[in-house]
């Protein structure tokens, strides 16, 4: 900005002319008064040189004022009082819920609904924001959130209406004014679960609303918002709500059936005992890992009443003789099919039926279902709870010759070192005592420590735990089988059964079985490449190449020569062309041979199966390649669909698909 000098005109500042008016006798000389007058002019002068700039700056000022008016003042005037009223109703509703008066809850929900409607009406007065770039996305997020809120209120009102006839059972006041909490918590829980089938039909609208809520929340991008606003973890709760509702989709869709069968699952009418089998996925088997331990979990009235843990799975004296499947006998070198090797079939319902057959034939306690849990679940829990230190299993392992992952974490169990340290304490016995006794004691202490850590954690841990349970089912680290057809049908619809699925398009399931390779799968990595090429006769030829790598050096404890019996499940009718990278091909005649003139597969679970066996040294790579022709119609005209089902307990790092 140019500084004004005494004698400049006080009019057109851009002319550069002098003030030529004659000085009067009253006028002070420039020397005496110019400094002061120049200061005054600098203060009063508009800070731009031209008339155009004056207009532009004035326009900007008006625009800025308008923006403040549109984005701050009007929204504040419109929404702030409504937000205060909404907050007041929320607090009132919470207090009334604590009072356990269902009639008062119903009335409070109606009041809350009216205040919510008023807030929504005020929000839509700001609909002009929807047409302003950048701001529009936040306005639309608000509309999605309010729509989800509307469905939430409707669901709450539906639930209240449904349970009102059973108010006392759910712990609310009944019409006579008595309280359901005069009975014990255990009795109340059993009564609530027993009542669920009676209200299941009235809650269909709730399940539908939950799907609408999921759809609305899915439209919001949490990353646009700060991590925390005034102590509330905004982004965290947005992300968790989206994840849980998405992963609970099958459960929401089957909500009515689930409520109707829940009392049976939880032993309300009659107590139930479940056979829970722990699979060590460091030694991969068809359904997830070597069967290393089991427990008998008994529930009654919705509560766990006992959990008997058995650290080893050994043949029972009364178990009848079973001839092993031929690949199991040949590659594992066993002459009888013992209980801990029963999980041979990739289709978990088939394996579970065999488990129950052997279990019942040995005259062991009757069970109502089978659950399998992989050891990887414990490591995932520690990612949420944080490391655990448990005496006496808190040795400093830095001086031991162990894999680096085993020595990490100082004296604590972490998600990284958990499986290796469990193996170390049980098999190496650094504290003395028998391996079975150590395993039982260690598993017991570990379970108790995790439970204490969870119950003592902040509220943020609970949605993460719910999300993790859904993850376990999705990864097939947790699978369930129920002998009763109605219950098993629900388990399959929920996606928790671990079955080989039916599919009309292309299909691939790779199933590895570690037969004598120690705990090599703790370190083993896999990459899969699939290539499709159309031949001149119109047949689609597929190549599946699997690359294995074990980075751990040989110690004959956790890392040894990897011995793998591989089965790949492909569309029924596929024709095997060749297999490379194998010691033996398991042919259709169930006879293994180094040289098979016309290798072929067999049919199982509605698929064609190709089998092969190979071995690989530690710190070496190995590639196994299957080439086969797909049956006609597998690849549609102009489209290609593939379902690739993951094996429980595995974690394939990279899958590439190349078409023609």
């Amino acid at each position: 900005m140019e500084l004004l000098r005494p004698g400049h005109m006080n009019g057109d500042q851009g002319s550069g002319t002098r003030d030529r008016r004659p000085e009067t006798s009253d006028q002070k000389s420039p020397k005496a008064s110019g400094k002061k007058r120049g200061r005054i002019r600098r203060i009063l002068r508009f800070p731009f040189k031209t008339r155009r700039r004056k207009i532009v700056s004035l326009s900007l000022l008006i625009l800025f004022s308008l923006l403040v008016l549109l984005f701050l003042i009007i929204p504040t005037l419109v929404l702030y009082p409504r937000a205060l009223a909404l907050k007041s109703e929320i607090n009132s509703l919470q207090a009334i819920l604590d009072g356990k008066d269902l009639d008062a809850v119903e009335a409070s929900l109606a009041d809350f609904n009216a205040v919510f409607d008023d807030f929504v009406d005020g929000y839509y007065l700001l609909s002009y924001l929807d047409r302003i770039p950048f701001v529009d996305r936040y306005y639309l997020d608000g509309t999605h959130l309010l729509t989800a809120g509307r469905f939430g209120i409707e669901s709450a009102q539906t639930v209240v209406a449904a349970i009102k006839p059973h108010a006392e059972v759910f712990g609310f006041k009944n019409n006579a004014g008595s309280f359901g909490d005069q009975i014990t918590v255990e009795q109340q829980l059993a009564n609530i679960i027993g009542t669920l089938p009676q209200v299941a039909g009235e809650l269909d609208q709730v399940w539908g609303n939950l799907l609408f809520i999921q759809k609305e929340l899915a439209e919001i991008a949490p990353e646009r918002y700060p991590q925390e606003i005034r102590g509330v973890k905004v982004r965290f709760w947005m992300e968790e709500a989206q994840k849980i509702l998405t992963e609970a989709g099958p459960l929401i869709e089957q909500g009515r059936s689930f409520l109707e069968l829940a009392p049976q699952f939880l032993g309300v009418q009659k107590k139930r005992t479940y056979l829970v089998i722990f699979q060590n996925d460091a030694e991969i088997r068809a359904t997830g890992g070597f069967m290393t331990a089991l427990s008998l979990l008994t529930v009654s009235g919705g509560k766990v009443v006992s959990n008997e843990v058995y650290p080893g799975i050994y043949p029972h004296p009364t178990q009848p003789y079973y001839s092993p499947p031929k690949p199991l006998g040949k590659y594992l070198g066993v002459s009888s099919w013992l209980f801990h090797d029963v999980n041979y079939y990739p289709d978990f319902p088939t394996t579970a039926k065999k488990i129950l057959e052997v279990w019942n034939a040995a005259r062991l306690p009757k069970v109502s279902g089978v659950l399998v849990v992989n050891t990887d679940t414990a490591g995932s829990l520690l990612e949420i709870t944080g490391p655990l230190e448990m005496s006496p299993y808190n040795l400093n392992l830095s001086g031991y010759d162990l894999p680096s992952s085993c020595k990490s974490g100082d004296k604590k169990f972490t998600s990284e070192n958990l499986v290796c340290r469990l193996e170390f304490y049980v098999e190496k016995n650094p504290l003395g005592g028998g391996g079975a006794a150590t395993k039982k004691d260690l598993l017991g202490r570990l379970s108790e420590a995790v439970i204490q850590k969870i119950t003592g954690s902040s509220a943020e841990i609970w949605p993460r735990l719910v999300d993790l349970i859904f993850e376990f089912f999705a990864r097939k680290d947790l699978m369930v089988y129920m002998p009763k057809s109605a219950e098993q049908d629900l388990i399959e619809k929920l996606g928790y059964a671990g079955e080989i699925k039916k599919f009309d398009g292309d299909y691939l399931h790779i199933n590895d079985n570690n037969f004598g390779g120690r705990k090599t799968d703790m370190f083993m990595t896999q990459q899969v490449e699939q290539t499709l090429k159309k031949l001149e006769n119109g047949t689609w030829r597929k190549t599946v190449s699997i690359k294995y790598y074990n980075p751990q050096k040989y110690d004959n404890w956790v890392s040894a020569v990897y011995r793998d019996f591989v089965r790949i499940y492909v569309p029924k009718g596929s024709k095997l062309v060749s297999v490379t990278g194998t010691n033996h091909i398991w042919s259709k005649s169930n006879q293994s041979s180094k040289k098979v003139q016309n290798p072929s597969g067999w049919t199982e679970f509605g698929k064609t199966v190709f089998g092969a066996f190979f071995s690989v040294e530690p710190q070496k790579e190995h590639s196994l390649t299957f080439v086969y022709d797909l049956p006609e119609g597998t690849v549609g005209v102009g489209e290609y669909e593939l379902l690739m089902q993951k094996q429980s307990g595995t974690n394939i790092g990279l899958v590439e698909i190349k078409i023609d």
Side-chain angles (χ1 to χ4, degrees):
M1 180 177 68
E2 179 184 339
L3 295 178
L4 290 179
R5 293 188 301 275
H8 273 205
M9 290 181 65
N10 196 23
D12 186 351
Q13 298 170 26
S15 64
T17 60
R18 296 283 185 177
D19 186 353
R20 301 187 180 277
R21 291 174 298 173
E23 293 185 7
T24 63
S25 58
D26 294 334
Q27 191 176 15
K28 294 183 179 179
S29 67
K31 187 174 181 181
S33 61
K35 184 175 180 181
K36 181 178 179 181
R37 189 171 53 193
R39 187 183 303 119
I40 293 173
R41 287 180 176 178
R42 284 198 297 271
I43 293 172
L44 297 178
R45 177 178 178 272
F46 202 87
F48 293 94
K49 295 180 182 179
T50 65
R51 189 184 305 275
R52 181 182 297 174
R53 291 191 179 183
K54 286 182 181 181
I55 295 171
V56 169
S57 60
L58 183 60
S59 301
L60 289 174
L61 182 61
I62 294 172
L63 179 60
F64 177 76
S65 301
L66 184 61
L67 291 175
V68 170
L69 181 68
L70 291 175
F71 296 152
L72 293 178
I73 298 177
I74 292 179
T76 301
L77 292 175
V78 170
L79 293 182
Y80 185 68
R82 290 175 167 87
L84 290 178
L86 197 60
K87 182 179 179 182
S88 176
E89 285 298 329
I90 291 173
N91 293 336
S92 175
L93 179 59
Q94 181 62 54
I96 291 172
L97 281 170
D98 293 340
K100 297 184 178 181
D101 186 335
L102 203 57
D103 289 332
V105 170
E106 189 173 39
S108 182
L109 273 174
D111 292 340
F112 178 77
N113 187 35
V115 174
F116 184 83
D117 282 343
D118 185 50
F119 183 87
V120 172
D121 290 342
Y123 190 82
Y124 286 130
L125 289 175
L126 308 176
S127 59
Y128 59 84
L129 298 175
D130 185 25
R131 294 181 290 274
I132 300 175
F134 180 75
V135 178
D136 58 344
R137 66 187 68 176
Y138 294 97
Y139 179 79
L140 288 174
D141 283 351
T143 61
H144 291 304
L145 197 59
L146 291 176
T147 304
R150 163 62 52 224
F151 287 122
I153 294 171
E154 288 179 2
S155 299
Q157 292 174 321
T158 302
V159 170
V160 169
I163 68 174
K164 199 171 182 180
H166 317 278
E168 194 170 4
V169 172
F170 286 86
F172 291 96
K173 288 180 182 178
N174 63 12
N175 293 332
S178 61
F179 284 84
D181 59 4
Q182 293 173 352
I183 60 177
T184 64
V185 174
E186 288 80 6
Q187 289 173 324
Q188 184 172 310
L189 179 61
N191 289 343
I192 290 173
I193 297 171
T195 307
L196 291 179
Q198 300 176 44
V199 301
E202 301 174 47
L203 298 179
D204 286 345
Q205 182 184 353
V206 174
W207 303 115
N209 284 350
L210 285 174
L211 291 174
F212 285 127
I213 290 172
Q214 174 205 336
K215 183 179 178 180
E216 292 297 329
L217 293 184
E219 296 294 327
I220 299 174
E223 63 272 11
R224 288 204 286 258
Y225 298 89
Q227 294 284 357
E228 191 171 308
I229 299 177
R230 302 187 68 178
V232 179
K233 296 184 177 179
V234 176
R235 188 184 298 182
F236 169 82
W237 289 109
M238 279 186 180
E239 291 173 341
E240 287 303 316
Q242 288 177 335
K243 287 168 65 177
I244 290 174
L245 285 171
T246 299
E247 292 169 347
L251 184 60
I252 294 172
E253 291 173 1
Q254 302 298 324
R256 185 173 187 174
S257 298
F258 179 77
L259 290 183
E260 291 172 344
L261 292 173
Q264 298 178 39
F265 290 138
L266 299 173
V268 172
Q269 290 87 5
K270 182 181 179 181
K271 75 175 182 180
R272 282 192 163 193
T273 297
Y274 296 103
L275 175 60
V276 182
I277 295 176
F278 301 99
Q279 300 183 131
N280 188 349
D281 45 32
E283 186 176 348
I284 202 72
R285 292 294 176 91
T287 60
F290 180 74
M291 294 163 59
T292 185
L294 62 85
S295 76
L296 293 173
L297 181 73
T298 302
V299 294
S300 179
K303 182 181 177 183
V304 176
V305 295
S306 70
N307 185 30
E308 304 171 29
V309 179
Y310 298 89
I313 296 180
Y314 302 104
H316 197 270
T318 58
Q319 177 182 327
Y321 171 81
Y322 292 91
S323 178
K326 290 183 178 180
L328 190 69
K330 179 174 181 61
Y331 300 130
L332 192 57
V334 296
S335 58
S336 61
W337 199 4
L338 301 180
F339 186 68
H340 57 250
D341 291 326
V342 169
N343 59 343
Y344 171 78
Y345 301 105
D347 181 76
F348 179 67
T350 303
T351 279
K353 290 175 186 176
K354 190 65 181 179
I355 288 173
L356 288 178
E357 178 189 336
V358 177
W359 182 268
N360 294 331
R363 302 189 187 120
L364 293 167
K366 294 292 183 183
V367 295
S368 301
V370 180
L371 292 81
V372 293
V373 184
N374 293 339
T375 51
D376 187 52
T377 57
S380 298
L381 279 172
L382 291 189
E383 288 182 4
I384 292 179
T385 64
L388 297 173
E389 184 172 347
M390 303 176 300
S391 178
Y393 306 102
N394 56 349
L395 299 178
N396 189 330
L397 304 184
S398 59
Y400 289 81
D401 184 18
L402 297 171
S404 57
S405 63
C406 213
K407 294 189 286 186
S408 65
D410 195 22
K411 297 180 179 182
K412 298 180 179 181
F413 286 89
T414 67
S415 58
E416 182 183 8
N417 69 29
L418 176 66
V419 176
C420 186
R421 289 202 177 193
L422 287 174
E423 296 290 340
F424 172 74
Y425 282 113
V426 172
E427 295 192 10
K428 297 296 185 181
N429 292 323
L431 303 174
T438 299
K439 181 185 285 188
K440 184 173 184 179
D441 179 69
L442 181 51
L443 290 176
R445 289 174 185 263
L446 181 63
S447 301
E448 174 134 6
V450 170
I451 291 172
Q452 288 180 353
K453 191 94 170 181
I454 290 173
T455 54
S457 298
S458 61
E460 284 84 359
I461 198 172
W462 293 104
R464 294 177 66 191
L465 282 173
V466 173
D467 180 56
L468 188 60
I469 291 172
F470 285 121
E471 235 181 87
F472 290 158
F473 282 119
R475 297 191 323 225
K476 297 202 284 190
D477 282 332
L478 177 59
M479 295 182 289
V480 182
Y481 173 77
M482 297 292 179
K484 293 185 176 180
S485 58
E487 296 176 4
Q488 181 61 18
D489 182 58
L490 174 61
I491 296 299
E492 290 182 3
K493 287 178 179 176
L494 293 176
Y496 304 159
E499 77 277 21
I500 297 292
K501 293 185 179 293
K502 297 178 181 178
F503 191 69
D504 292 333
D506 194 6
Y507 177 91
L508 179 64
H509 171 67
I510 301 170
N511 195 267
D512 295 289
N513 290 262
N514 181 346
F515 287 161
R518 302 292 184 179
K519 303 299 185 286
T520 310
D521 291 290
M522 195 185 308
F523 313 101
M524 186 70 69
T525 63
Q526 280 181 280
Q527 294 183 6
V528 179
E529 182 182 284
Q530 304 177 58
T531 303
L532 272 173
K533 185 175 181 60
K534 192 172 186 179
L535 304 181
E536 291 183 359
N537 62 3
T539 300
W540 284 94
R541 176 160 292 178
K542 187 166 184 180
T543 301
V544 175
S545 182
I546 315 165
K547 183 181 291 185
Y548 299 84
Y549 176 59
N550 173 20
Q552 187 62 31
K553 67 179 182 179
Y554 178 87
D555 60 13
N556 202 31
W557 169 50
V558 291
S559 181
V561 176
Y562 193 59
R563 296 165 48 83
D564 191 2
F565 174 55
V566 183
R567 287 167 287 182
I568 70 166
Y569 289 72
V570 299
K572 186 178 180 180
S574 297
K575 304 295 183 183
L576 185 63
V577 176
S578 65
V579 184
T580 56
T582 177
N583 299 52
H584 302 97
I585 298 173
W586 194 259
S587 68
K588 186 176 182 180
S589 62
N590 285 344
Q591 300 295 323
S592 57
S593 170
K594 288 186 178 180
K595 294 182 179 180
V596 179
Q597 297 298 325
N598 296 301
S600 59
W602 64 96
T603 301
E604 199 172 76
F605 312 125
K607 311 293 182 189
T608 292
V609 192
F610 305 132
F613 177 83
F614 73 93
S615 59
V616 58
E617 300 281 339
Q619 297 185 307
K620 300 287 186 182
E621 285 188 353
H622 185 83
S623 290
L624 178 66
T625 301
F626 294 86
V627 180
Y628 55 94
D629 291 337
L630 293 171
E632 185 178 355
T634 302
V635 180
V637 178
E639 63 178 18
Y640 173 69
E641 292 183 319
L642 167 70
L643 171 62
M644 184 175 179
Q645 267 194 282
K646 173 186 180 295
Q647 178 184 3
S648 172
T650 60
N651 185 22
I652 296 175
L654 176 67
V655 177
E656 287 185 295
I657 302 174
K658 302 177 181 178
I659 301 178
D660 211 16

